[in-house]
Amino acid sequence: MHITLIAGARPNFVKISPIIHAIQAHNESTKPRIKYALVHTGQHYDKQMSDSFFDDLNIPAPDVNLNVGSHSHAEQTARIMVAFEAYLMEHATDCVLVVGDVNSTMACAIVAKKMNIKVVHVEGGLRSGDMTMPEEINRLVTDSISDYFFTTSEIANQHLKREGVSDDRIVLVGNTMIDSLVRSLNKIKKPESIAGLNLDDYYLLTLHRPSNVDQQSQLLNLLQTVDRLANGRKVIFPIHPRTEAQISDKGVFRNIHFVPPLPYLEFLFLMKGASAVITDSGGIQEETTYLKVPCLTLRPNTERPETIEIGSNQLIGNDMNALEEALLQIQTGRWKESQIPPFWDGKASERIVQHLIKLLA
């Protein structure tokens, strides 16, 4: 059996790495061995994805990098499809496994399906209901052509069933991002960039969605509000250079400390120790839920409702009054009690490999 694993952006590798570990563990103890190849489409160039990044995740570098680079959604998707088709013409496989919802996920699924290769979608069934999000379109297209689905929650299962997917193609396995988190907690380390800061009580801020960072006025208003509502607490903001270029005077912010993008293990250190995380990320909603760290999501919707219904997450959108009230609840110890969703136990990838063997036999 041969499986081709697809990753296009940094979070994809965090989700893929525990699957690789599970395959390796299977191969050490069980026959027949599972052969695999890790394909990096090169969708996102990230200087943090150096050798140390793969060392942090304890996985080998990708077998190939298609180097498609950053382009418009249409051009990037087309470039991935052309490059991946050429790769598959020379490298036979029984299955293409995609994760998440980036352009690489959809593009590689389409190519594989047109070449009559089985497609497995890890994190299938996530839905935000927001068609203005490119990721939502990627999810819908990928799920419409995938053969099998490994899901993170019963909510995702129900979405797929409503869309006509039969039960025998859906397996609730849990969350591979949590697998990586569990494996890494004993290796986290304090970032050197904040070595001089007292971190007794601080917030962690992350922003990357265009609706929050592409318009300078929106970005500055958001930062000014967070700076004011921190009430003297430090706010650590790992900021992307493209976003940083929009801020002409960082000195006007009394509480926000701007730091470069962080390696995975250093970012986990900050997330685990934060009094709260303010973010517009999808994956961070999941990680904070596992860590039971309050998460305030600067989006009007989420494809991960279990992080709100069960976990430590709350949707804020662009309502700064809601942000103020949420931070006040956290500061006064009135935040909600949270739980960890079923199967978010660090063993999702083991279940994926066990079921892959059955499904592809």
Side-chain angles (χ1 to χ4, degrees):
M1 180 190 304
H2 186 281
I3 301 173
T4 300
L5 308 169
I6 305 298
R10 192 179 183 214
N12 291 167
F13 286 96
V14 178
K15 298 170 185 177
I16 284 283
S17 67
I19 299 175
I20 293 176
H21 295 144
I23 291 174
Q24 291 171 339
H26 166 85
N27 288 345
E28 289 174 2
S29 60
T30 310
K31 291 184 179 180
R33 288 168 52 87
I34 300 173
K35 298 178 181 179
Y36 70 92
L38 176 58
V39 174
H40 180 13
T41 67
Q43 174 178 331
H44 289 168
Y45 170 76
D46 185 341
K47 67 180 181 181
Q48 293 294 336
M49 280 182 54
S50 60
D51 290 343
S52 64
F53 175 73
F54 297 102
D55 289 342
D56 285 349
L57 295 174
N58 193 29
I59 58 171
D63 294 277
V64 63
N65 189 330
L66 303 180
N67 291 308
V68 298
S70 297
H71 304 277
S72 70
H73 284 285
E75 183 175 356
Q76 185 178 72
T77 301
R79 285 173 178 256
I80 294 169
M81 292 179 69
V82 170
F84 187 52
E85 182 184 53
Y87 173 85
L88 286 181
M89 293 291 288
E90 296 185 3
H91 300 85
T93 190
D94 300 305
C95 164
V96 169
L97 185 148
V98 296
V99 300
D101 51 24
V102 298
N103 288 343
S104 298
T105 305
M106 177 184 69
C108 291
I110 292 173
V111 170
K113 194 66 177 177
K114 288 196 171 187
M115 296 178 72
N116 295 315
I117 299 169
K118 291 189 182 300
V119 176
V120 173
H121 188 195
V122 174
E123 280 195 349
L126 298 189
R127 300 290 182 268
S128 70
D130 184 355
M131 292 298 287
T132 67
M133 293 177 63
E135 297 91 341
E136 183 75 353
I137 298 167
N138 291 344
R139 294 179 201 120
L140 289 165
V141 173
T142 302
D143 284 348
S144 71
I145 60 175
S146 292
D147 295 282
Y148 301 111
F149 305 86
F150 292 127
T151 61
T152 60
S153 71
E154 183 59 36
I155 296 172
N157 288 11
Q158 295 305 317
H159 287 152
L160 292 170
K161 291 175 185 178
R162 281 196 294 270
E163 293 165 9
V165 179
S166 58
D167 287 347
D168 60 326
R169 295 165 56 201
I170 304 170
V171 185
L172 172 57
V173 294
N175 193 323
T176 65
M177 180 168 276
I178 302 305
D179 292 9
S180 281
L181 176 63
V182 170
R183 290 178 62 95
S184 301
L185 283 177
N186 64 346
K187 299 185 292 182
I188 60 175
K189 50 192 175 184
K190 184 176 181 178
E192 293 183 3
S193 56
I194 60 166
L197 295 180
N198 182 351
L199 295 181
D200 289 340
D201 186 1
Y202 66 94
Y203 301 140
L204 177 61
L205 173 66
T206 82
L207 298 171
H208 76 280
R209 294 199 175 272
S211 59
N212 285 326
V213 302
D214 280 3
Q215 293 187 0
Q216 186 180 55
S217 59
Q218 168 68 11
L219 174 63
L220 293 177
N221 177 63
L222 186 54
L223 293 179
Q224 289 164 358
T225 302
V226 171
D227 191 60
R228 175 177 58 84
L229 296 178
N231 287 333
R233 292 167 178 82
K234 296 178 179 62
V235 180
I236 312 300
F237 183 14
I239 186 169
H240 190 279
R242 187 169 68 87
T243 303
E244 189 173 18
Q246 301 238 49
I247 305 169
S248 56
D249 183 9
K250 293 191 282 293
V252 302
F253 301 103
R254 298 178 57 189
N255 299 308
I256 297 178
H257 295 263
F258 299 87
V259 299
L262 296 170
Y264 178 64
L265 295 180
E266 294 183 11
F267 185 80
L268 287 187
F269 175 96
L270 288 179
M271 183 162 53
K272 183 175 184 293
S275 299
V277 178
I278 305 168
T279 187
D280 56 13
S281 163
I284 289 175
Q285 296 172 49
E286 298 172 314
E287 292 168 322
T288 50
T289 282
Y290 181 84
L291 295 170
K292 297 188 176 182
V293 173
C295 181
L296 309 179
T297 299
L298 302 175
R299 289 171 47 187
N301 49 59
T302 180
E303 61 281 359
R304 298 164 170 88
E306 63 273 17
T307 64
I308 297 172
E309 297 171 5
I310 298 173
S312 59
N313 185 27
Q314 178 175 317
L315 288 183
I316 299 297
N318 59 3
D319 185 347
M320 295 299 99
N321 289 328
L323 179 62
E324 182 172 14
E325 174 58 27
L327 286 174
L328 183 61
Q329 290 179 15
I330 293 164
Q331 292 162 7
T332 56
R334 295 183 289 118
W335 193 248
K336 62 181 178 178
E337 290 290 328
S338 64
Q339 298 177 336
I340 299 172
F343 297 105
W344 291 25
D345 55 3
K347 299 179 181 179
S349 298
E350 296 173 21
R351 290 186 279 268
I352 286 173
V353 170
Q354 292 168 3
H355 285 285
L356 273 175
I357 293 168
K358 297 175 183 177
L359 293 173
L360 301 178

